[in-house]
Amino acid sequence: MVAAGASIDLVQRLLGRSATVERPITVDQTNYSVVVDESFIVKWLQPPVPVPHPGVETIRHLAAAGFDEMPSLLAAAEHDGNVHAIISAYLPGAVDGWEWYVDDVDKWLAVDDAVDVLGPARRMGAITSRLHSALADLDAAIVDVRPVVEQAIADMHLAKARLDGLEWLDEGRVRDALQPLLDTGRVDGHRIHGDLHAGQFLRSGPVMLVTDFDGNPLGDQTRRRLAQSPLRDVASLVQSLEHVAAIVVKRRRPHERIAAERFAREATAAALQAYTADHPIDNDLLHGFRVAQELHEYAYSIHHLPHWRYVADAALPALLGM
């Protein structure tokens, strides 16, 4: 656990700035983040990550490439061969997409015609496109996507063994959906975000930034530094739009499932339209990655956040044609 005042001390020591007030960010996450003086955000890595930190490398590369739609990295606390914390600029009034997008869709379902729920999805797709353009030369390589299938099948078996009520989850349908990844085998890849979803998009007024480049919370440091297909990010992003819809139905509007599903379909189309303006994609491959992403959500719920399984329960059947 991080001691009270530790974030203030770190800001003063690494940035040479006077600081007096800190407040933790109380959302579900694998690390621990603290806002200092409403100007800095200190993310304490739990556990610390060996140097070089993949996220720090990625952010520095993006900054050098001119990508500025992310919080500025200000410092990293390194000692004993590990990165213990990262300090970034804080966007005042920033809210992440698990809040602002859920609020927007909730208002839209209340027949508030002034709320545009497709524009943000289009903007997220465009930011992702620019992000991938900036990352295209970082560890560029031809990558084998067949291990994605192996992991997805393992996640499925884990879910069926550990979670009740998944008798409907048919392995044959899952394997059919993943088959394009096996058939294609090797694709172009580079360093990617690795954990791209609605919650990684911060919004404050007209400003939208993408954050948190630590990668897959279930992956080790070595795997996070490897080149991957950018379709993994795209699949994670569009499935998170499904999850926004599921959250709204689960927590606020249980009788609006059909309308929420329509939002998810149209938002997905808007995000993909923006992304594919510069990055054409293979739809069959993307579908395989989307199925793998939902199986990953089951694994994440088992390891980190048990109540989160409902988003995969809501999204996966449609992907499997059930």
Side-chain angles (χ1 to χ4, degrees):
M1 192 63 184
V2 178
S7 300
I8 288 175
D9 291 343
L10 193 66
V11 166
Q12 293 182 150
R13 179 164 58 86
L14 294 187
L15 302 183
R17 299 283 295 271
S18 176
T20 58
V21 180
E22 64 179 31
R23 63 174 176 86
I25 296 181
T26 54
V27 295
D28 295 323
Q29 54 185 350
T30 52
N31 298 303
Y32 181 73
S33 296
V34 178
V35 176
V36 176
D37 283 359
E38 300 302 310
S39 297
F40 314 105
I41 183 164
V42 180
K43 179 164 67 176
W44 296 92
L45 307 179
Q46 300 179 333
V49 176
V51 175
H53 185 293
V56 172
E57 287 183 317
T58 299
I59 293 169
R60 287 173 176 163
H61 179 90
L62 288 169
F67 181 82
D68 60 1
E69 293 170 287
M70 61 181 180
S72 299
L73 174 67
L74 302 177
E78 302 178 5
H79 60 86
D80 300 327
N82 290 313
V83 178
H84 292 259
I86 296 171
I87 305 176
S88 301
Y90 176 65
L91 178 62
V95 180
D96 73 56
W98 294 136
E99 293 188 37
W100 63 256
Y101 218 167
V102 168
D103 287 343
D104 282 2
V105 175
D106 181 41
K107 293 174 184 175
W108 177 75
L109 288 172
V111 196
D112 185 344
D113 294 335
V115 180
D116 174 14
V117 291
L118 300 186
R122 193 172 296 111
R123 192 171 178 186
M124 293 157 78
I127 290 174
T128 302
S129 175
R130 292 189 287 272
L131 172 70
H132 286 167
S133 293
L135 289 175
D137 60 346
L138 180 59
D139 298 324
I142 302 298
V143 298
D144 188 352
V145 295
R146 288 171 293 187
V148 175
V149 177
E150 297 171 9
Q151 184 61 58
I153 296 298
D155 289 341
M156 178 188 67
H157 288 157
L158 175 67
K160 289 176 75 70
R162 297 277 294 275
L163 301 174
D164 294 330
L166 291 182
E167 294 80 7
W168 61 268
L169 183 52
D170 181 73
E171 182 166 346
R173 287 177 180 265
V174 169
R175 289 187 179 275
D176 286 346
L178 297 172
Q179 189 62 41
L181 300 175
L182 293 176
D183 292 341
T184 301
R186 299 173 69 82
V187 300
D188 291 334
H190 50 72
R191 191 82 69 90
I192 63 173
H193 182 284
D195 188 30
L196 191 67
H197 53 69
Q200 309 291 29
F201 287 85
L202 305 177
R203 191 173 75 176
S204 179
V207 179
M208 183 183 290
L209 303 178
V210 62
T211 189
D212 195 356
F213 293 86
D214 290 345
N216 179 0
L218 300 185
D220 60 28
Q221 181 193 13
T222 299
R223 292 174 63 185
R224 294 180 192 185
R225 299 182 73 238
L226 296 176
Q228 300 182 65
S229 168
L231 287 182
R232 297 195 79 158
D233 275 353
V234 178
S236 180
L237 172 61
V238 297
Q239 288 313 114
S240 77
L241 302 177
E242 298 277 354
H243 302 161
V244 167
I247 291 169
V248 173
V249 172
K250 175 79 171 180
R251 299 180 183 176
R252 303 188 185 184
R253 296 186 177 273
H255 303 300
E256 296 281 5
R257 180 179 59 83
I258 293 176
E261 289 175 350
R262 178 165 66 88
F263 151 75
R265 288 194 303 271
E266 294 178 359
T268 292
L272 290 176
Q273 181 183 44
Y275 183 83
T276 56
D278 291 313
H279 297 277
I281 60 175
D282 182 308
N283 288 323
D284 290 335
L285 278 180
L286 177 61
H287 187 262
F289 276 113
R290 292 176 68 176
V291 169
Q293 180 63 38
E294 290 305 331
L295 293 169
H296 165 83
E297 301 296 345
Y298 277 133
Y300 181 80
S301 74
I302 291 169
H303 292 297
H304 290 292
L305 204 61
H307 74 265
W308 186 245
R309 69 161 287 184
Y310 76 86
V311 301
D313 285 341
L316 188 54
L319 285 175
L320 297 178
M322 301 178 70

